[in-house]
């Protein structure tokens, strides 16, 4: 029987309200835990959309509930990975109903995008996605968008944010990541200028070998993005498999 090689991960996260926004409606979380099977890493990026009242509240609610799931149920997910998508779908539906209902009750509009990623010790990963965040898998020098949206059917309206409709249609993916590959989760403030200004090359730096180095690199990139004129909130998480 072949031996299962356990993955280890290095990671970092950064977020900024940008140059013109009064508050940062982006909410992010990056967590890791050592299990009996090895290291598991969880990341989530949510963007409360500008122009919608209390978008930061919606984003924070989603981040909090998914983080609680990771803390309380990652062990169960390792034993039965099939439950991950089922659990996440239940959380998304419940949160969407809660945010949608709160908005109707208060007579306000609020909503959030969401991208969540779980990396298991054996390199398998699971994602869920709602909205226009981006999830890139970095293989060699290539950025592969993991969360490409399915084309909406004729007459259908895209459910692009949680809490803005009574129904939400998340996109789920799963697969395996290999040593040397990375995942980048980011809001639109980060990816708008990522490729046009060739800032993506900074994430291909082989010298990124520690969590703190990744965090500092993302903070440096966010400053450059703002210097290039980005005005929106800017958030990113990078996770590399070793």
């Amino acid at each position: 029987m072949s031996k299962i090689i356990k993955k280890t991960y290095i990671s970092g996260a950064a977020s900024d309200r940008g140059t013109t926004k009064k508050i940062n409606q982006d909410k992010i979380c990056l967590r890791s835990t050592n299990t009996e099977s090895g290291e598991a890493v969880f990341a989530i990026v949510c963007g409360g959309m500008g122009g919608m009242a209390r978008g930061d509240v919606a984003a924070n609610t989603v981040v909090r509930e998914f983080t609680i799931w990771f803390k309380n149920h990652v062990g169960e997910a390792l034993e039965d990975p099939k439950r991950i998508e089922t659990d996440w779908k239940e959380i998304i539906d419940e949160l969407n109903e809660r945010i949608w209902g709160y908005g109707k009750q208060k007579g306000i509009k609020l909503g959030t995008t969401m991208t969540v990623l779980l990396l298991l010790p054996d390199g398998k990963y699971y994602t869920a996605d709602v909205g226009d965040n981006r999830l890139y898998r970095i293989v060699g020098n290539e950025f592969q968008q993991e969360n490409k949206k399915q084309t909406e059917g004729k007459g259908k309206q895209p459910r692009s944010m949680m809490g803005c409709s009574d129904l939400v249609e998340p996109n789920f993916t799963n697969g395996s990541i290999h040593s040397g590959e990375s995942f980048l989760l980011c809001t639109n403030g980060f990816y708008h200028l990522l490729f046009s200004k060739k800032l993506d090359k900074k994430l291909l730096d082989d010298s990124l070998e520690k969590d703190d180095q990744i965090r500092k690199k993302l903070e440096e990139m966010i400053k450059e993005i703002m210097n290039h004129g980005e005005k929106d909130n800017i958030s990113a998480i990078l996770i590399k498999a070793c």
Side-chain angles (χ1 to χ4, degrees):
M1 181 180 296
S2 60
K3 182 179 179 181
I4 297 176
I5 300 177
K6 298 178 181 178
K7 292 284 189 297
T8 57
Y9 303 98
I10 57 173
S11 58
S15 183
D16 196 284
R17 66 183 176 89
T19 58
T20 62
K21 302 291 184 179
K22 293 182 179 180
I23 61 172
N24 189 352
Q25 294 193 90
D26 286 356
K27 303 298 177 184
I28 65 175
C29 182
L30 174 64
R31 294 283 186 272
S32 66
T33 187
N34 291 317
T35 72
E36 293 181 358
S37 302
E39 184 182 15
V41 177
F42 168 84
I44 184 169
V45 171
C46 291
M49 301 299 284
M52 288 197 169
R54 307 291 293 278
D56 57 320
V57 175
N60 192 59
T61 299
V62 175
V63 168
R64 181 180 65 247
E65 294 302 321
F66 266 94
T67 304
I68 291 173
W69 177 89
F70 175 69
K71 178 180 178 181
N72 294 337
H73 299 292
V74 65
E76 299 166 14
L78 284 168
E79 295 178 2
D80 182 16
K82 293 181 180 179
R83 69 170 291 172
I84 296 172
E85 182 173 326
T86 301
D87 282 3
W88 287 3
K89 183 63 166 62
E90 290 179 356
I91 294 171
I92 291 169
D93 286 343
E94 192 276 329
L95 289 176
N96 186 72
E97 182 178 355
R98 187 195 306 178
I99 297 168
W100 170 247
Y102 177 82
K104 289 185 66 176
Q105 180 184 15
K106 299 294 184 179
I108 60 175
K109 288 185 176 181
L110 69 164
T112 182
T113 60
M114 180 208 76
T115 301
V116 59
L117 169 69
L118 176 66
L119 287 159
L120 300 182
D122 60 0
K124 292 181 180 178
Y125 67 84
Y126 297 83
T127 81
D129 180 74
V130 178
D132 64 350
N133 296 337
R134 292 287 174 85
L135 174 63
Y136 295 104
R137 183 173 179 173
I138 306 173
V139 182
N141 293 328
E142 295 184 1
F143 283 70
Q144 303 171 358
Q145 189 178 340
E146 184 75 11
N147 62 336
K148 292 182 179 179
K149 301 297 183 295
Q150 296 179 354
T151 302
E152 294 288 340
K154 185 177 181 180
K156 291 185 177 180
Q157 296 296 321
R159 273 80 181 211
S160 60
M161 294 206 319
M162 291 179 62
C164 293
S165 170
D166 59 342
L167 294 175
V168 65
E169 297 173 355
N171 180 52
F172 295 97
T173 63
N174 63 78
S176 296
I177 189 173
H178 306 291
S179 297
E181 297 179 353
S182 303
F183 274 116
L184 171 67
L185 301 82
C186 55
T187 56
N188 54 17
F190 190 87
Y191 69 72
H192 274 159
L193 301 174
L194 183 63
F195 301 104
S196 64
K197 302 300 181 182
K198 302 186 184 306
L199 298 175
D200 55 307
K201 306 301 182 185
K202 294 180 177 291
L203 295 177
L204 305 177
D205 188 350
D206 290 335
S207 67
L208 297 177
E209 298 178 344
K210 297 180 180 180
D211 295 346
D212 193 51
Q213 290 175 333
I214 293 179
R215 177 185 59 79
K216 289 180 179 179
K217 179 64 67 174
L218 292 176
E219 291 176 344
E220 171 190 315
M221 291 177 66
I222 286 175
K223 289 181 180 178
E224 288 193 53
I225 289 170
M226 289 191 291
N227 288 338
H228 282 297
E230 180 59 57
K231 298 179 180 180
D232 205 351
N233 302 151
I234 309 173
S235 300
I237 298 175
L238 183 72
I239 305 169
K240 183 176 181 179
C242 302

